[in-house]
Amino acid sequence: MPVRPRFYRRTWEHSDATINEPPLDAPGHVPWWPQSTPAWHTNLFAIMVHVLGESTRHAGHADILREGLDGRTGLRAEHEKQIDEEARAAYRAKIEQAARAARTN
């Protein structure tokens, strides 16, 4: 079996064990979250909800493509960053050119 499927299977098995063995209210923390974040000390259920939200937002990195095309960079307006419209237009043209080239090949 190629490396990626083996790695994916190990990750999947680890995730299943993590979800199935401890109770949903098992305490935990996320080491890379700032300690000042109220959720730093959290539980399995909260982490599962967080990961589900992140997974749906980033599934297939479709939002990265969307950000490159429409310029939106966040879930809420207060998190949006100003974009360079000229650079965005040039990037969009580059993507469209690549798509046209792929269609003709």
Side-chain angles (χ1 to χ4, degrees):
M1 186 183 295
V3 173
R4 285 185 189 213
R6 285 193 311 248
F7 178 75
Y8 180 77
R9 177 159 297 283
R10 285 195 324 267
T11 302
W12 169 13
E13 290 168 353
H14 178 74
S15 297
D16 282 352
T18 300
I19 292 167
N20 293 329
E21 290 175 16
L24 288 175
D25 61 350
H29 75 277
V30 180
W32 54 88
W33 286 359
Q35 288 188 18
S36 60
T37 302
W40 189 71
H41 288 287
T42 188
N43 62 36
L44 178 59
F45 179 76
I47 296 296
M48 288 172 54
V49 170
H50 177 79
V51 169
L52 178 62
E54 287 293 309
S55 296
T56 59
R57 176 157 161 68
H58 298 289
H61 297 282
D63 67 318
I64 293 171
L65 296 172
R66 178 198 46 79
E67 288 174 9
L69 294 172
D70 71 10
R72 303 252 351 230
T73 58
L75 288 173
R76 294 183 291 218
E78 64 268 21
H79 297 292
E80 300 247 343
K81 296 177 183 160
Q82 288 294 97
I83 60 164
D84 179 343
E85 289 294 334
E86 190 174 305
R88 183 173 74 91
Y91 185 69
R92 182 178 180 145
K94 180 179 174 181
I95 292 171
E96 288 176 354
Q97 181 182 5
R100 281 191 210 95
R103 182 180 61 196
T104 60
N105 290 333

